[in-house]
Amino acid sequence: MLTVSCKESPGPFFLVQLELKALVFEDCWFCSKVIVIEPEGSQLLFPCYQGLSPKKKAILREATAKLSQKDTEEITIRVKMLQENTRTSADSASGLPYEIRFSFTKEKEFQYSLLRASLDLKLNNFHHPTNTWNSMEELEDLQWSMPRTHEYIKKHWMTDTFFGYQFLNGSNPMMIKRCSKLPKNFPVTNDMKGKIFLCDYARLDGIVGNVIDGNQQYLTAPLCLLFSNPQGKLLPIAIQLKQKPEVQNPIFLPTDSKHDWLLANLFVRNAEFNEHELNFYLLRTHLLAEVFTMATLHALPSVHPLFKLLFPHIRYTLQFNIMARKQLIDDGLKLWNIIHKFVNGVVAHYYTERDVQEDSELQTWLTEIIEHGFLKNANSGIPKSFHTVAELVKFVTMLIFPASAQHAAVNNGQKSFSKLDLPK
């Protein structure tokens, strides 16, 4: 903590500028905030949360959030603050601005966890990519930490009950949909109306698997039909492995031979893994959050109410994504409503309908998202402008949800359900 005293009152404060003098060895100091205590005893808070260096001046506004059309200070100050958020381009986490990087403590904790896991794998001869195992029993020799669900999965992974259970309670609860009408390309006769559900992996159709260690991998685009029985168990009742019905694309049923039915289930779980990791996890949480992060940093000054609302949720998005590139349903609705209520409270405090329509910085932010995030794609679903408080609240809720609750839903279950890469 650095204290600066002044014998005489400096007058009203609305701006603080910080500059680090050049040192013998170039360094960067992280400043969290500046507190100004006036002679009368009142305190003024100037949030900073950024790195200071001899090459960069930090311009800080008092903490109260303000819309541009209601800001009594010179607009040039807002523009100058916005210019500090220069376009970010980094190939490594060290190239990111300090304010959106892990803290020293967080980074060391992350590195320690990674080192510990790597050593664990090497000690158990698990680090070599060509290692193979001939049975589930051989995997038991690996002395690494297992999730609490391990024993249950080991005993039940081949059962239809556990297969169905994972569609709602596994790593990816996003694919399953109630089936009111069977698709034409899935010619199954069924009289269990209102109790059946469908998982359709049409997005994977036509994708060719990779070649790993000289072996061609295979990927299907299956359709899986499930039935909710009177006991509340979700059970698979039919599987078709390709999208186009034909003689060479039979429909597998639980009455087929044990191994045929198991193989069909394996292909579904394989498709589920790819859909989950690439679409619902990588694209819809990490990469989508990156679009809104970049737009927020580029288009909104830190004094803007939406910047203050969004920044805690997007602060580490870029570092997580850079590291990933380098190294690599009811409850959801309740969470959506909780986030929506919180966002509504913040946004409604600052905005009226007229404020929404007149906020030029808000429109610049939205334009940034459309032009640079979605490359002016007319089918992106992103609105071109906001007209009401309700529209803005819904959009901001949609932004925060995938970066928080949805990410947790499709990420946190991976350790329990995918640690041994069990197919079913």
Side-chain angles (χ1 to χ4, degrees):
M1 177 181 291
L2 178 65
T3 303
V4 179
S5 302
C6 183
K7 295 181 180 179
E8 299 181 359
S9 175
F13 264 84
F14 70 93
L15 183 69
V16 170
Q17 179 173 296
L18 300 179
E19 182 178 2
L20 187 66
K21 291 185 177 180
L23 304 175
V24 177
F25 299 101
E26 186 174 334
D27 198 1
C28 182
W29 288 19
F30 184 84
C31 176
S32 60
K33 59 188 174 183
V34 174
I35 298 177
V36 176
I37 303 177
E38 298 182 310
E40 298 78 11
S42 59
Q43 293 188 0
L44 297 176
L45 174 63
F46 294 80
C48 183
Y49 298 104
Q50 57 182 288
L52 304 178
S53 71
K55 298 180 180 179
K56 178 182 178 182
K57 296 179 181 179
I59 301 174
L60 312 180
R61 286 286 302 270
E62 194 269 327
T64 304
K66 296 179 181 180
L67 300 176
S68 59
Q69 62 266 37
K70 295 184 177 181
D71 197 346
T72 57
E73 309 302 340
E74 291 186 15
I75 193 65
T76 54
I77 299 298
R78 293 178 74 96
V79 174
K80 195 170 184 180
M81 291 179 68
L82 186 57
Q83 289 173 344
E84 294 297 317
N85 293 332
T86 55
R87 294 196 174 275
T88 303
S89 177
D91 295 325
S92 64
S94 61
L96 291 171
Y98 280 89
E99 54 267 29
I100 56 175
R101 283 168 52 182
F102 288 168
S103 65
F104 176 83
T105 303
K106 186 177 182 70
E107 185 172 8
K108 294 308 175 186
E109 288 177 350
F110 194 93
Q111 292 173 350
Y112 172 75
S113 298
L114 183 61
L115 176 62
R116 183 178 178 181
S118 298
L119 289 174
D120 196 18
L121 293 176
K122 290 182 178 180
L123 289 173
N124 290 283
N125 196 32
F126 190 65
H127 65 288
H128 198 280
T130 60
N131 281 358
T132 60
W133 297 269
N134 299 314
S135 67
M136 295 294 294
E137 287 70 24
E138 291 184 15
L139 288 171
E140 295 301 314
D141 295 332
L142 295 175
Q143 302 298 316
W144 59 344
S145 59
M146 292 293 181
R148 289 181 297 176
T149 54
H150 168 65
E151 287 298 324
Y152 183 89
I153 294 175
K154 186 174 65 173
K155 294 178 180 178
H156 299 89
W157 71 274
M158 288 191 292
T159 66
D160 286 351
T161 301
F162 187 66
F163 178 80
Y165 171 87
Q166 292 183 79
F167 285 102
L168 287 176
N169 303 282
S171 301
N172 181 26
M174 311 295 291
M175 278 298 297
I176 189 168
K177 296 180 180 180
R178 181 182 290 274
C179 184
S180 57
K181 183 180 180 181
L182 289 171
K184 294 181 180 180
N185 63 332
F186 196 18
V188 178
T189 56
N190 177 64
D191 57 359
M192 296 175 284
K193 296 180 179 179
K195 298 181 181 179
I196 60 174
F197 299 83
L198 179 67
C199 290
D200 188 351
Y201 299 89
R203 202 173 355 250
L204 301 177
D205 191 29
I207 296 179
V208 179
N210 291 328
V211 176
I212 301 178
D213 294 330
N215 298 315
Q216 177 66 53
Q217 308 298 304
Y218 297 95
L219 186 66
T220 63
L223 296 100
C224 179
L225 200 64
L226 301 109
F227 169 62
S228 178
N229 68 13
Q231 290 74 42
K233 304 294 185 181
L234 196 62
L235 302 173
I237 56 176
I239 294 174
Q240 180 177 288
L241 296 182
K242 300 178 182 179
Q243 289 290 307
K244 184 178 179 180
E246 55 187 2
V247 177
Q248 298 300 320
N249 183 27
I251 294 177
F252 293 90
L253 304 172
T255 53
D256 290 337
S257 70
K258 175 182 177 180
H259 292 97
D260 284 352
W261 181 237
L262 177 60
L263 185 60
N265 279 255
L266 293 175
F267 273 109
V268 172
R269 293 309 307 169
N270 176 265
E272 170 70 19
F273 177 84
N274 283 278
E275 181 72 41
H276 162 237
E277 291 292 340
L278 298 177
N279 181 21
F280 291 103
Y281 181 53
L282 176 61
L283 175 62
R284 298 198 186 192
T285 60
H286 279 272
L287 300 186
L288 187 61
E290 183 172 318
V291 168
F292 299 120
T293 298
M294 297 298 286
T296 300
L297 295 175
H298 294 167
L300 297 179
S302 58
V303 73
H304 196 283
L306 288 187
F307 184 95
K308 294 180 179 293
L309 175 60
L310 295 174
F311 190 70
H313 302 281
I314 64 176
R315 180 176 180 180
Y316 300 123
T317 295
L318 296 182
Q319 176 154 359
F320 272 122
N321 287 1
I322 287 176
M323 292 171 66
R325 293 189 186 105
K326 285 285 185 181
Q327 301 165 4
L328 245 189
I329 295 237
D330 290 333
D331 288 338
L333 186 58
K334 291 179 182 178
L335 290 172
W336 171 277
N337 291 334
I338 291 171
I339 296 173
H340 186 275
K341 183 178 180 180
F342 169 70
V343 172
N344 184 73
V346 175
V347 173
H349 177 77
Y350 292 98
Y351 283 95
T352 64
E353 309 287 271
R354 183 175 179 178
D355 291 330
V356 171
Q357 298 167 21
E358 294 181 352
D359 188 353
S360 59
E361 291 173 337
L362 176 64
Q363 184 59 48
T364 301
W365 175 64
L366 191 57
T367 301
E368 174 83 17
I369 293 171
I370 294 172
E371 293 185 355
H372 298 282
F374 291 88
L375 304 179
K376 301 181 181 180
N377 184 354
N379 298 318
S380 67
I382 303 297
K384 295 182 179 179
S385 61
F386 298 117
H387 299 92
T388 66
V389 173
E391 290 176 352
L392 179 57
V393 168
K394 182 178 180 181
F395 188 82
V396 174
T397 303
M398 182 272 295
L399 190 160
I400 294 176
F401 185 81
S404 54
Q406 184 174 334
H407 180 271
V410 299
N411 171 71
N412 295 355
Q414 292 181 98
K415 182 177 181 181
S416 297
F417 289 94
S418 302
K419 190 153 188 177
L420 291 181
D421 197 19
L422 293 175
K424 175 182 175 188

